[in-house]
């Protein structure tokens, strides 16, 4: 038995969340509904403009790992933080949730700990403004191959693809895991990541990945066929397992050429932050514990559905109890 059932590698970001209306976004020059990378000075300005802030350890993959850990999986996370107030907060919070935080806070880190200012409008849409800081400097030297090899599944965050050393870290982690009999997968993260690195994304998926998870826009960005079914077919031709979330239209899963569609109940989100992250947590929990694809999809949808019902990117209710109520466990 491996020490870890799921290990994630991604940006270690402190999420700072506040409510805002559309006029505030316009006034501050914030583009609604997407993730924007910002510089340190801009980050300080936005942080100062936030009222009633909620602070939590975040980062897309970290949220997924935390969600999977809360469901009972043995988890680990690779990510860089500085030995500053936010970095210590982040490391302690992850450790307190039972996650093996592989990389200790660095006193000599060249940049501060990363943070994302997230503004949630009344329609539940979130607009993320992220200062990447030291987390974006993660490279192969930060990957402990022993931890990767001792993991059943390693899950990679597409956001880290913006730097060559992030790509090298991905390959090191994935190959260490797979060489020891594990599986590797990637969260596409954002269509703009694909726009910047389409060829590298496709090469990684085709040559290294056992599964890929993304929403409709992210999946369609890979091949740009302007048709979801065509894009799903293209991705599934190079990867054994493709998982596509489609908001209120459900989930489409293609495993070894076999398609499974899972419906969902449409709801108006309070805060969409973390919905995809928690979907991945639920889905991966199902996959790692041997459920069929329909059950995995339902688990993902329940986990994602819980988190959009409140502020913040991590569940407040017991997702395990929600699974029991749905007769999934």
């Amino acid at each position: 038995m491996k020490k870890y059932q799921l290990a994630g590698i991604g940006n270690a970001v402190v999420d700072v969340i506040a409510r805002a209306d559309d006029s505030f976004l316009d006034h501050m020059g914030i583009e609604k509904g997407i993730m924007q990378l910002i510089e340190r000075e801009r980050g300080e300005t936005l942080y100062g403009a936030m009222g009633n802030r909620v602070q939590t350890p975040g980062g897309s993959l970290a949220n997924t790992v935390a969600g999977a850990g809360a469901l009972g999986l043995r988890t680990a996370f690779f990510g860089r933080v500085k030995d500053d107030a936010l970095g210590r907060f982040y490391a302690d919070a992850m450790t307190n949730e039972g996650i093996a935080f592989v990389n200790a806070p660095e006193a000599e880190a060249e940049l501060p700990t990363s943070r994302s200012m997230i503004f949630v409008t009344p329609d539940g849409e979130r607009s993320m403004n992220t200062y990447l800081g030291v987390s974006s400097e993660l490279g192969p030297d930060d990957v402990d191959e022993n931890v990767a090899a001792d993991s059943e599944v390693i899950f990679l965050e597409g956001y880290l693809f913006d730097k060559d050393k992030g790509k090298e870290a991905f390959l090191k982690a994935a190959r260490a895991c797979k060489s020891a009999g594990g599986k590797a997968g990637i969260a596409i993260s954002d269509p703009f990541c694909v726009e910047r690195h389409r060829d590298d994304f496709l090469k990684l998926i085709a040559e290294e990945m056992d599964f890929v998870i993304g929403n409709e826009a992210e999946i369609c960005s890979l091949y740009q066929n302007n048709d979801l079914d065509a894009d799903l077919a293209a991705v599934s031709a190079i990867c054994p397992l493709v998982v596509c979330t489609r908001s209120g239209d459900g989930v489409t899963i293609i495993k070894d050429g076999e398609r499974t569609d899972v419906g969902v109940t449409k709801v108006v989100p309070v805060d969409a932050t973390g919905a995809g992250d928690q979907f991945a947590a639920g889905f991966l929990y199902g996959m790692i514990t041997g459920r069929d694809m329909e059950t995995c999809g339902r688990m993902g949808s329940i986990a994602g559905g819980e988190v959009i019902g409140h502020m913040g990117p991590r569940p407040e209710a017991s997702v395990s109890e929600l699974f029991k109520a749905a007769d999934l466990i």
Side-chain angles (χ1 to χ4, degrees), residues 192-209:
F192 295 110
C193 291
V194 177
E195 291 293 334
R196 293 189 291 267
H197 309 284
R198 182 173 289 105
D199 290 345
D200 285 344
F201 256 104
L202 292 173
K203 180 179 174 64
L204 181 77
I205 292 169
E207 297 180 1
E208 309 284 352
M209 296 294 101

Side-chain angles (χ1 to χ4, degrees), residues 7-181:
I9 176 169
N11 282 309
V13 183
V14 177
D15 284 338
V16 187
I17 306 169
R19 294 187 181 277
D21 57 26
D22 289 341
S23 63
F24 176 87
L25 300 187
D26 291 340
H27 176 70
M28 298 300 296
I30 297 169
E31 188 169 350
K32 184 176 179 178
I34 68 167
M35 192 281 285
Q36 291 181 300
L37 297 179
I38 58 175
E39 299 300 324
R40 185 174 181 177
E41 183 178 351
R42 170 73 167 163
E44 291 172 352
T45 298
L46 293 179
Y47 184 85
M50 301 178 86
N52 297 317
R53 296 182 291 254
V54 175
Q55 185 170 290
T56 180
S60 180
L61 252 292
N63 290 335
T64 295
V65 169
L71 286 167
L73 295 187
R74 302 182 304 276
T75 57
F77 182 71
F78 298 89
R80 291 188 70 185
V81 297
K82 185 179 176 67
D83 188 9
D84 54 18
L86 284 178
R88 291 187 293 273
F89 163 79
Y90 191 98
D92 289 345
M94 294 288 279
T95 302
N96 289 341
E97 292 185 36
I99 301 161
F101 191 65
V102 179
N103 310 91
E106 304 171 42
E108 302 303 318
E110 59 272 35
L111 295 170
T113 296
S114 309
R115 71 289 309 265
S116 181
M117 277 62 66
I118 302 172
F119 296 91
V120 182
T121 42
D123 59 2
E125 190 61 78
R126 80 269 194 234
S127 305
M128 297 179 287
N129 300 264
T130 303
Y131 168 62
L132 287 178
V134 72
S135 72
S136 65
E137 298 300 316
L138 186 143
D141 292 344
D142 300 303
V143 174
D144 185 331
E145 288 181 298
N146 293 323
V147 174
D150 211 9
S151 302
E152 292 181 26
V153 173
I154 192 124
F155 195 36
L156 314 173
E157 180 178 314
Y159 284 131
L160 275 177
F161 238 58
D162 273 318
K163 294 193 176 181
D164 287 341
K165 56 186 171 182
K167 299 173 187 177
E168 292 168 11
F170 278 8
L171 290 174
K172 183 177 179 180
R175 289 171 179 172
C177 181
K178 288 168 68 74
S179 67

